[in-house]
Amino acid sequence: RPELLKQTDFVFPYLYKFPGQESREVILYATREAKSLLYIRLFLTAASVIFVLGMIGWIVPMAARQFGFESATVMIVLAGVTLILGGLIWYYLVTTWRKTVGVLTNYRLVKIVQYGLFNHAAQTLPLDEIVDTSVSNKKLWERVLRVANFTARSAASSSGLATDDAQEGNIRINKKYFYWEHICFAEDFENYLHKILKELKTKSVEDLVNFRPFIGGLKGERRAEFMQQWPQYWS
């Protein structure tokens, strides 16, 4: 199976593998931060590089006339450094975006976060420990870009005082929340997750392998074509 973290787009069925995946664990849905946010960061990076190159082309000749040095060599060196740094930032943004992934499996929620170019960390929440969920997009830019933040809360934080609310002498209980930030179709995913949790009350995790899939934004003719292509999931 191809590695999940190397995929730019996730295609159903999600026959990928990810770090820490168990032998009988099946991916039911995979997502990551909205691609529009990556495009915005890349645009700002490219705009910054162009701006710096323009400043080099304007300031260096002026300084050369003022101090009497050869401007061509300095401009080439500074332009080269700027382009190299811009390329490294571009590569870093693309790599960390691609390797930061959220996964729903038949066992748990998994979030893999890429730190730098070589290190990553994973956060998991078993499905049977989910108490409630929420979706929020309170910021204007989140509503404009049509992204939202998904949160699942575990039983570990269902009672007692949260860490940041506890006072001296009170019992302190760590909050245990699971986040997927700035994803598309967050509300639809939340509804799908609750269907999964409802199924688990009467069925086993193995029964979820052929459970009706969730494809964000799949409506109308595309939905009908998908159902015809994968009839085993719609019986």
Side-chain angles (χ1 to χ4, degrees):
R1 293 176 296 175
E3 294 185 14
L4 182 74
L5 303 185
K6 293 184 178 180
Q7 309 304 310
T8 302
D9 298 301
F10 303 130
V11 180
F12 180 85
Y14 307 108
L15 303 178
Y16 308 112
K17 60 180 180 181
F18 62 89
Q21 185 173 2
E22 299 181 13
S23 58
R24 295 188 298 171
E25 192 169 20
V26 177
I27 298 176
L28 301 178
Y29 183 63
T31 187
R32 56 164 61 93
E33 185 182 55
K35 194 178 292 185
S36 58
L37 292 174
L38 172 65
Y39 290 156
I40 290 173
R41 296 189 190 106
L42 295 180
F43 171 79
L44 293 176
T45 300
S48 299
V49 170
I50 293 172
F51 174 77
V52 172
L53 291 176
M55 294 298 294
I56 291 173
W58 177 51
I59 293 176
V60 171
M62 293 177 56
R65 290 192 297 268
Q66 184 74 20
F67 299 101
F69 61 83
E70 182 62 37
S71 64
T73 302
V74 177
M75 289 179 62
I76 292 174
V77 171
L78 292 178
V81 171
T82 301
L83 290 173
I84 291 173
L85 289 176
L88 290 175
I89 294 173
W90 186 287
Y91 178 76
Y92 171 81
L93 292 174
V94 172
T95 300
T96 53
W97 174 85
R98 189 181 69 248
K99 293 187 176 183
T100 298
V101 179
V103 181
L104 167 65
T105 75
N106 54 333
Y107 287 97
R108 55 184 173 160
L109 290 170
V110 181
K111 181 181 180 181
I112 302 171
V113 181
Q114 183 72 20
Y115 294 105
L117 298 177
F118 306 105
N119 300 321
H120 69 264
Q123 177 189 9
T124 65
L125 178 60
L127 297 182
D128 57 2
E129 292 185 11
I130 296 176
V131 175
D132 59 35
T133 63
S134 64
V135 171
S136 64
N137 58 345
K138 299 178 181 179
K139 299 177 182 178
L140 177 60
W141 67 266
E142 291 176 334
R143 294 193 291 271
V144 171
L145 295 178
R146 302 179 68 181
V147 299
N149 306 299
F150 167 82
T151 303
R153 185 167 63 90
S154 77
S157 59
S158 62
S159 62
L161 294 169
T163 298
D164 53 2
D165 296 327
Q167 300 176 358
E168 185 177 355
N170 291 327
I171 298 176
R172 300 172 66 88
I173 298 177
N174 289 328
K175 288 182 177 180
K176 190 174 180 182
Y177 290 112
F178 183 96
Y179 298 101
W180 285 357
E181 294 91 353
H182 308 146
I183 63 172
C184 298
F185 313 110
E187 292 184 359
D188 294 335
F189 170 75
E190 183 185 27
N191 293 331
Y192 177 73
L193 176 59
H194 280 278
K195 292 178 182 178
I196 293 287
L197 298 177
K198 184 178 180 180
E199 288 290 312
L200 284 176
K201 292 180 180 180
T202 57
K203 298 181 180 179
S204 67
V205 292
E206 286 75 15
D207 295 328
L208 295 178
V209 173
N210 293 322
F211 187 71
R212 181 176 302 182
F214 169 61
I215 311 293
L218 192 66
K219 298 179 180 179
E221 294 182 0
R222 290 184 57 211
R223 179 180 175 86
E225 293 175 359
F226 182 86
M227 293 173 66
Q228 292 177 358
Q229 184 179 2
W230 305 99
Q232 65 270 33
Y233 293 97
W234 306 92
S235 60

